[in-house]
Amino acid sequence: MTDQTWLDRAVDLAVENVAAGGGPFGALVVREGVVVAEGTNRVTPDLDPTAHAEVVAIRRACAQLRDFSLAGCTLFTSCEPCPLCVSASLWARLDRVVYAADRDDAARGGFDDRAFYDLMGADRATWPMAVAAVPVEHRFAPFEAWLGHDDRTHY
């Protein structure tokens, strides 16, 4: 199988998902030439703003492999991942992310992820939502507990 083959499948998943009432996004996680999991955009059916196709595929792949690390895997997606999905891909330790349509295609389709890419580089004071640190005296306590826990799972 080639990247083109997997991307064709991701695009087909996206088109099928639109017909089923979901958003126009599809993704799959592949390891050693085998599909580990597929995902489609479930934001509106599940009322979950984090249920992007890539995140759904990552969640399913981790459950299938019984591991939070997807090292050795590639994520194929119908469209360039938004910042949420790029972050999820990094946390999942995917080897590669390969996409078909880009952010300009998404904007033409009514999904302007560029706004979020731009927002991440802007001063937080200009964000449409307040994000503020409120330092409390014991703010490092969870990390002290973590560092003192000998049986912690490193990730």
Side-chain angles (χ1 to χ4, degrees), residues 56-140:
V56 171
I58 288 168
R59 288 175 181 161
R60 290 177 178 168
C62 288
Q64 177 67 28
L65 297 174
R66 301 177 52 94
D67 197 342
F68 58 82
S69 173
L70 296 177
C73 297
T74 299
L75 175 69
F76 292 94
T77 181
S78 62
C79 189
E80 181 177 4
C82 71
L84 167 76
C85 296
V86 169
S87 296
S89 298
L90 288 165
W91 278 113
R93 290 9 181 221
L94 286 157
D95 285 5
R96 294 189 313 143
V97 175
V98 182
Y99 59 89
D102 65 17
R103 64 183 79 179
D104 295 321
D105 295 320
R108 281 193 4 243
F111 296 85
D112 195 358
D113 295 350
R114 286 177 297 196
F116 290 109
Y117 276 105
D118 293 344
L119 184 66
M120 293 299 142
D123 183 328
R124 284 189 181 172
T126 66
W127 287 18
M129 168 188 70
V131 177
V134 179
V136 296
E137 187 175 324
H138 59 286
R139 68 184 175 269
F140 197 73

Side-chain angles (χ1 to χ4, degrees), residues 6-16 26-28 77-79 100-101:
W6 300 123
L7 288 173
D8 287 344
R9 177 63 186 147
V11 170
D12 289 346
L13 283 170
V15 172
E16 292 166 11
L28 51 144
T77 181
S78 62
C79 189

Side-chain angles (χ1 to χ4, degrees), residues 145-152 154:
W146 171 257
L147 293 170
H149 186 64
D150 293 333
D151 294 332
R152 68 183 177 268
H154 294 274

